[in-house]
Amino acid sequence: MTREDQSAWRDALRTIDLLKLDSVGLGGITVRARAGPVRDAFLEALGRLKAPLFRIHPAMSREALFGGLDLTATLSSGRLIETAGCLAADITPMLCMAERCPPDRASELAAWLDDTRGTLVMLDEAAEPGEMAPRALQDRLAFFVSLDPIGRLEAAPYARPGVKDAHLRLKDVKTPKNASATLVSIAARLGIDSLRAPLFALRAARANAALEGRDRVSDDDLETAARLVLAPR
């Protein structure tokens, strides 16, 4: 087990720590991985988010996801009956087989994210070259994690930091004046043209500072945010 392997797994788990602190501000995560023990271990850790994970599929009907007219109940009762879709519940939706999500469904989910400021987990299980989760959705999620390079032995629990009152600390974390410019500059050098990316990175830096017990964003926090949010893009 190399230090690089250990670092990749710790970085993967750190994205979960940051999401737990600021799930609304960070939008969610795209996870590229095939089924196996490493993905199972990551999803188990990811299940510790505030709202429980709920699997959704690209083939689910629009009514099942977003709600709408219940035709059977309406016809049997003689009055208009509407149902609430699963996305109206207190859940963290996990889009399985995201690489098969059609453009119209991706647009609907993107609008849902924009309107509700919800949190989405995408499982990208692509096996063929060129397959990938929809870019419109990836752009709205702060993190992209590929578990493919991580072996089963590396995917072991480690001592994750636990800072008391991190949620309370987050709202008071101070941001240096040059932090935004620094992250925008890094994004530009990496060829990232999304305006959301540096904003996500700034929120990730603030969450990382709170997690580490700091009341001000440090250079280490900016470096972590650039590594976790910008570099994968």
Side-chain angles (χ1 to χ4, degrees), residues 76 154 162 170:
S76 63
E154 287 79 47
L170 177 60

Side-chain angles (χ1 to χ4, degrees), residues 173-180 202 206 215-217 222:
V173 170
K174 297 180 176 60
T175 306
K177 292 181 178 180
N178 66 335
S180 297
L202 185 61
R206 288 174 53 83
D215 59 4
R216 182 180 177 85
V217 171
L222 294 177

Side-chain angles (χ1 to χ4, degrees), residues 61 63-64 67-84:
S61 69
E63 290 73 20
L69 178 67
D70 187 330
L71 184 59
T72 301
T74 296
L75 292 176
S76 63
S77 66
R79 60 190 179 87
L80 188 66
I81 304 253
E82 294 187 345
T83 59

Side-chain angles (χ1 to χ4, degrees), residues 8 16 25 39 45 60 71 75-76 84 91 131 149 156 158 170 188 217:
I16 298 177
R39 192 179 79 174
M60 290 177 69
L71 184 59
L75 292 176
S76 63
I91 60 169
E131 285 187 330
Y158 83 107
L170 177 60
V217 171

Side-chain angles (χ1 to χ4, degrees), residues 125-141:
E125 305 171 75
E128 300 297 330
E131 285 187 330
M132 66 173 59
R135 292 188 181 276
L137 291 176
Q138 289 193 57
D139 187 46
R140 287 166 167 80
L141 311 182

Side-chain angles (χ1 to χ4, degrees), residues 32 34 97-101 124-135 138 144:
R32 170 162 283 190
R34 306 299 298 277
M97 302 180 73
E99 74 282 359
R100 299 189 182 183
C101 185
D124 184 342
E125 305 171 75
E128 300 297 330
E131 285 187 330
M132 66 173 59
R135 292 188 181 276
Q138 289 193 57
F144 177 95

Side-chain angles (χ1 to χ4, degrees), residues 1-232:
M1 182 187 304
T2 67
R3 290 184 178 180
E4 288 77 11
D5 294 330
Q6 293 174 323
S7 177
W9 180 242
R10 288 194 177 97
D11 275 354
L13 293 184
R14 176 49 64 104
T15 63
I16 298 177
D17 295 329
L18 300 180
L19 271 178
K20 188 174 181 180
L21 275 184
D22 188 12
S23 59
V24 172
L26 293 170
I29 183 171
T30 301
V31 182
R32 170 162 283 190
R34 306 299 298 277
V38 177
R39 192 179 79 174
D40 291 344
F42 186 79
L43 293 182
E44 180 182 359
L46 191 60
R48 298 170 190 162
L49 293 174
K50 293 178 182 179
L53 291 175
F54 183 87
R55 290 176 179 261
I56 63 175
H57 190 277
M60 290 177 69
S61 69
R62 191 182 191 285
E63 290 73 20
L65 289 173
F66 305 101
L69 178 67
D70 187 330
L71 184 59
T72 301
T74 296
L75 292 176
S76 63
S77 66
R79 60 190 179 87
L80 188 66
I81 304 253
E82 294 187 345
T83 59
C86 64
L87 293 182
D90 185 19
I91 60 169
T92 300
M94 181 167 65
L95 179 62
C96 302
M97 302 180 73
E99 74 282 359
R100 299 189 182 183
C101 185
D104 56 342
R105 181 50 45 79
S107 296
E108 291 170 344
L109 288 171
W112 174 80
L113 283 169
D114 292 342
D115 292 342
T116 67
R117 300 193 69 194
T119 304
L120 176 68
V121 175
M122 287 203 297
L123 282 184
D124 184 342
E125 305 171 75
E128 300 297 330
E131 285 187 330
M132 66 173 59
R135 292 188 181 276
L137 291 176
Q138 289 193 57
D139 187 46
R140 287 166 167 80
L141 311 182
F143 302 116
F144 177 95
V145 170
S146 176
L147 301 179
D148 291 337
I150 301 173
R152 179 176 59 84
L153 295 180
E154 287 79 47
Y158 83 107
R160 299 164 72 189
V163 178
K164 185 178 180 181
D165 298 329
H167 284 90
L168 298 176
R169 188 190 305 275
L170 177 60
K171 63 183 178 63
D172 295 323
V173 170
K174 297 180 176 60
T175 306
K177 292 181 178 180
N178 66 335
S180 297
T182 297
L183 292 172
V184 169
S185 177
I186 294 173
R189 292 179 183 178
L190 292 175
I192 298 170
D193 57 6
S194 168
L195 296 179
R196 292 185 177 94
L199 292 175
F200 279 141
L202 185 61
R203 295 199 73 118
R206 288 174 53 83
N208 196 72
L211 192 66
E212 294 293 342
R214 291 189 278 267
D215 59 4
R216 182 180 177 85
V217 171
S218 69
D219 288 344
D220 286 342
D221 299 318
L222 294 177
E223 179 182 345
T224 297
R227 186 174 72 250
L228 299 183
V229 177
L230 301 181

